[in-house]
Amino acid sequence: MAIIEHNATLPAPPERVFSLLERVEDFVDYSDLIRDIEPLGGGHYRWHVHAVGMDWTFEVAITESRAPEVLAWESLSGVHNRGRYRLSPVPEGTEVALTLEYEIKNRLVEKAVNRAVRPLVNKVSQQILDRVEARL
């Protein structure tokens, strides 16, 4: 699995940041690449993403939600991925650390995606955190 990490500091306490991140269906408003997020119930969601010139659909389950410190998920279908937001209080507000792991099993698709995915995930992550910050 490839691992991507992204860190940012937001000027608000962890409780406020977490309350926005835990509303998964709102992520569609946080990134131009997320087309739709369907709540399926029980902490499960179907994501529709357009990235690297392709449409991607995958189901995700929230695997850990410990306010205001951790929000983690894992895919149940589609591109195998799992991620975790870890929130820590700092004097400036909240340090948000994203760790994302993914695996693509089709070698042809994997080559194309791997070239674009690191800057893409960093862009999307920054876009999400910038828009969360704007809502704070």
Side-chain angles (χ1 to χ4, degrees):
M1 280 193 143
I3 298 174
I4 296 173
E5 296 176 324
H6 184 94
N7 294 332
T9 301
L10 300 183
E15 294 79 11
R16 285 188 57 208
V17 175
F18 187 90
S19 72
L20 291 176
L21 291 176
E22 75 177 337
R23 293 199 305 250
V24 175
E25 57 275 8
D26 287 353
F27 275 54
V28 74
D29 298 328
Y30 299 158
S31 173
D32 300 333
L33 300 178
I34 302 170
R35 301 291 191 223
D36 189 34
I37 299 174
E38 300 172 58
L40 302 175
H44 291 83
Y45 300 86
R46 183 174 296 120
W47 288 59
H48 300 273
V49 176
H50 183 80
V52 294
M54 299 174 65
D55 291 319
W56 306 82
T57 300
F58 48 93
E59 290 186 23
V60 170
I62 300 300
T63 57
E64 185 177 6
S65 181
R66 194 167 19 100
E69 300 162 352
V70 175
L71 181 65
W73 65 91
E74 185 165 2
S75 64
L76 303 174
S77 68
V79 175
H80 184 340
N81 70 90
R82 65 177 168 235
R84 169 182 302 271
Y85 280 111
R86 184 171 302 280
L87 287 69
S88 305
V90 294
E92 302 85 5
T94 302
E95 177 73 25
V96 180
L98 167 66
T99 303
L100 178 67
E101 300 176 34
Y102 70 93
E103 181 177 25
I104 298 173
K105 296 185 180 183
N106 179 316
R107 287 191 174 201
L108 294 175
V109 173
E110 181 180 31
K111 279 187 168 187
V113 170
N114 282 341
R115 258 184 265 127
V117 85
R118 187 170 304 278
L120 181 68
V121 168
N122 281 329
K123 176 186 172 186
V124 170
S125 177
Q126 189 62 53
Q127 198 174 56
I128 288 168
L129 293 175
D130 286 347
R131 291 180 184 179
V132 165
E133 182 176 358
R135 285 198 177 181
L136 293 171

